[in-house]
C-alpha cells in the first residue's frame, strides 16, 4: 500500500551529479518549479559518504516533491567559492533560484528526513512526513470508530513506509488490543525498533496492554464494591475494584479508588496503588482531564 501520492519519478531524474557547467540548469532553473537540495561533497570526506546516501534515500522517498544535485567541490571550486563553502559536507536547498535552507556536517537520519520535509513544505508541497501524519490521523479515527482491523492495516502500511514511525507503531499495538489479540499486540511491542522503544507512543501502548491484560482477569464490580463498603480497609478488594472499574470503562472512578487506597496506605503491596495510577496515566493522553486531576491529587498527597 503506497500512502504517498507523488509520482514515481525515476531516481535518475531526482538525483544527479552536477558540475559547474550544469549548475544553472540543474539547480537554479529546476528550482523555479521544484525545490533542489544540493549536496557539496568530496571523495576524501568521510562524513560525506554517510550523509550522501541518507539524503538520497530521503529524496527518493519524496517521489518527485524535491530533487537533489551532488556537487564534488574538488571539481567545482568556483561554485564552492561562490557559495562560501567552508567545510563539507554542506547542504543547501534551493527554491525559485535562491538558497532557502541548509546545514553543515553529518546529521542522523531522522533530522535528514525532517530537513527534506521542511524544504518540501516551504515550497508549498506536501512532504512524505506530512502525508504519513494524515494517514496516522485517519487510522486513529478508524480505531476510535471501532474499525480496529482497518486501523491495523493502515498503521501497518505506514510502517511499511517508515518502520520507525512511533505513532504508527503504537497505533498498531493499540489496534490489536482493541481486537482482543493481546498476544499479537505484545509480540509487536516486543519487536519495536530500539530507536523508538522508549517513545511516549510506545510507553502508552505498553500501559494499555498491561491494563488490557488486567481486564481479562477483572472481578465483578458489584461484589468488589460491596466488599469495600463492608471493610474500607480491605486494600486488596479496593485495588481489585479499581481494576474492575477500569475494565468496565469507568476510568475516573478507578482512579478515585486508587487515590483513596494510596491515601489510606501508600506503601501497601510495594506501592501498588501509585504504580497502577501511573499505568493508567501513561495509557491516556497527557492532557486528559482524568490525568491532570489525578496527578494533581496524587501530588498533593505525596507532598502533604
Amino acid at each position: 500500500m503506497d500512502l504517498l501520492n507523488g509520482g514515481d519519478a525515476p531516481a535518475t531524474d531526482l538525483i544527479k551529479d552536477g558540475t559547474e557547467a550544469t549548475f544553472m540548469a540543474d539547480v537554479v532553473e529546476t528550482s523555479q518549479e521544484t525545490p533542489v537540495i544540493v549536496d557539496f561533497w568530496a571523495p576524501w570526506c568521510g562524513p560525506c559518504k554517510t550523509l550522501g546516501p541518507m539524503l538520497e534515500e530521503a529524496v527518493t522517498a519524496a517521489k518527485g516533491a524535491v530533487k537533489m544535485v551532488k556537487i564534488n567541490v574538488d571539481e567545482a571550486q568556483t561554485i564552492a567559492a561562490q557559495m562560501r563553502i567552508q567545510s563539507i559536507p554542506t547542504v543547501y536547498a534551493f527554491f525559485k533560484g535562491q538558497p532557502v535552507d541548509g546545514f553543515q556536517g553529518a546529521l542522523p537520519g531522522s533530522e535528514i528526513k525532517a530537513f527534506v520535509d521542511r524544504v518540501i513544505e516551504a515550497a508549498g508541497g506536501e512532504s512524505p512526513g506530512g502525508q504519513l501524519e494524515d494517514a496516522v490521523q485517519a487510522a486513529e479515527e478508524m480505531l476510535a470508530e471501532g474499525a480496529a482491523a482497518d486501523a491495523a492495516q493502515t498503521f501497518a502500511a505506514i510502517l511499511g513506509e517508515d518502520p520507525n514511525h512511533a505513532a504508527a507503531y503504537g497505533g498498531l499495538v493499540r489496534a490489536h488490543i482493541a481486537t482482543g489479540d493481546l498476544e499479537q499486540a505484545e509480540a509487536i511491542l516486543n519487536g519495536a525498533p530500539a530507536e523508538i522503544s522508549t517513545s511516549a507512543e510506545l510507553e502508552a501502548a505498553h500501559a494499555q496492554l498491561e491494563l488490557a491484560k488486567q481486564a481479562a482477569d477483572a472481578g465483578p464490580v458489584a461484589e468488589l464494591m460491596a466488599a469495600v463498603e463492608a471493610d474500607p480497609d480491605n486494600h486488596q478488594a479496593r485495588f481489585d475494584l479499581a481494576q474492575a472499574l477500569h475494565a468496565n470503562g469507568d476510568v475516573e472512578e478507578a482512579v478515585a479508588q486508587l487515590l483513596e487506597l494510596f491515601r489510606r496506605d501508600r506503601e501497601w503491596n510495594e506501592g501498588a496503588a501509585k504504580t497502577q495510577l501511573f499505568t493508567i496515566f501513561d495509557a491516556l493522553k497527557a492532557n486528559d482531564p482524568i490525568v491532570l486531576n489525578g496527578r494533581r491529587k496524587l501530588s498533593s498527597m505525596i507532598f502533604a
Side-chain angles (χ1 to χ4, degrees), residues 173 177 189-190 201-211 279:
V173 174
I177 293 172
L189 195 57
N190 290 339
E201 293 89 347
L202 265 69
E203 294 287 351
H206 182 268
Q208 290 190 21
L209 179 60
E210 288 302 307
L211 292 168
T279 299

Side-chain angles (χ1 to χ4, degrees), residues 60-110:
T60 301
K63 299 185 177 181
V66 65
K67 296 186 176 183
M68 176 176 169
V69 174
K70 298 183 287 183
I71 300 289
N72 181 342
V73 295
D74 288 348
E75 298 174 356
Q77 295 183 13
T78 301
I79 293 292
Q82 289 175 345
M83 294 301 301
R84 297 180 181 176
I85 304 300
Q86 302 292 327
S87 64
I88 53 174
T90 291
V91 175
Y92 279 111
F94 285 75
F95 186 58
K96 299 294 184 185
Q98 299 294 323
V100 293
D101 205 341
F103 63 87
Q104 286 186 335
L107 293 179
S110 59

Side-chain angles (χ1 to χ4, degrees), residues 14 55 59 79 105 118 127 129 154 158 174 177 180 183-184 220 245 284 290-291:
L14 296 178
L55 262 176
V59 169
I79 293 292
R118 195 164 66 240
S127 67
T154 304
I158 295 166
R174 290 184 287 105
I177 293 172
E183 285 189 12
Q184 182 65 11
L245 287 165
L284 298 170
I290 293 175
V291 176

Side-chain angles (χ1 to χ4, degrees), residues 20 23 28 31 36 54-55 57 61 68 74 79 83 97 117 119 133 149 160 162 174 184 208 211 216 248 262 277:
E20 289 187 345
F23 190 85
V28 177
S31 71
V36 178
M54 290 196 293
L55 262 176
E57 182 181 350
M68 176 176 169
D74 288 348
I79 293 292
M83 294 301 301
D117 285 351
V119 170
E133 293 310 314
D162 182 0
R174 290 184 287 105
Q184 182 65 11
Q208 290 190 21
L211 292 168
N248 281 274
F262 184 83
L277 281 166

Side-chain angles (χ1 to χ4, degrees), residues 30-270:
T30 300
S31 71
Q32 298 298 327
E33 300 293 333
T34 304
V36 178
I37 291 173
V38 184
D39 177 19
F40 292 95
W41 71 286
W44 46 264
C45 166
C48 297
K49 296 174 183 176
T50 302
L51 178 67
M54 290 196 293
L55 262 176
E56 291 183 32
E57 182 181 350
V59 169
T60 301
K63 299 185 177 181
V66 65
K67 296 186 176 183
M68 176 176 169
V69 174
K70 298 183 287 183
I71 300 289
N72 181 342
V73 295
D74 288 348
E75 298 174 356
Q77 295 183 13
T78 301
I79 293 292
Q82 289 175 345
M83 294 301 301
R84 297 180 181 176
I85 304 300
Q86 302 292 327
S87 64
I88 53 174
T90 291
V91 175
Y92 279 111
F94 285 75
F95 186 58
K96 299 294 184 185
Q98 299 294 323
V100 293
D101 205 341
F103 63 87
Q104 286 186 335
L107 293 179
S110 59
E111 292 187 34
I112 290 171
K113 285 182 182 179
F115 170 75
V116 173
D117 285 351
R118 195 164 66 240
V119 170
I120 295 169
E121 290 164 2
E126 187 172 12
S127 67
Q131 292 170 29
L132 291 183
E133 293 310 314
D134 290 343
V136 168
Q137 184 61 37
E140 289 289 358
E141 290 174 4
M142 293 176 200
L143 194 53
E145 292 167 1
D150 291 340
Q153 285 188 337
T154 304
F155 284 129
I158 295 166
L159 292 171
E161 306 248 3
D162 182 0
N164 288 344
H165 200 296
Y169 213 101
L172 182 60
V173 174
R174 290 184 287 105
H176 282 286
I177 293 172
T179 64
D181 193 348
L182 302 188
E183 285 189 12
Q184 182 65 11
E186 187 164 23
I188 293 168
L189 195 57
N190 290 339
E195 296 90 334
I196 61 171
S197 60
T198 59
S199 65
E201 293 89 347
L202 265 69
E203 294 287 351
H206 182 268
Q208 290 190 21
L209 179 60
E210 288 302 307
L211 292 168
K213 287 179 180 178
Q214 293 172 8
D217 299 321
V221 170
E223 289 182 18
L224 291 167
M225 184 70 78
V228 170
E229 290 175 351
D231 180 6
D233 283 325
N234 185 340
H235 299 330
Q236 186 64 58
R238 191 180 296 277
F239 186 83
D240 292 345
L241 172 61
Q243 289 189 337
L245 287 165
H246 192 282
N248 281 274
D250 194 346
V251 181
E252 191 167 6
E253 182 58 26
V255 168
Q257 292 294 340
L258 289 166
L259 287 169
E260 176 62 16
L261 173 52
F262 184 83
R263 186 188 70 79
R264 287 174 176 269
D265 187 351
R266 66 181 62 190
E267 301 300 332
W268 176 79
N269 197 14
E270 299 181 346

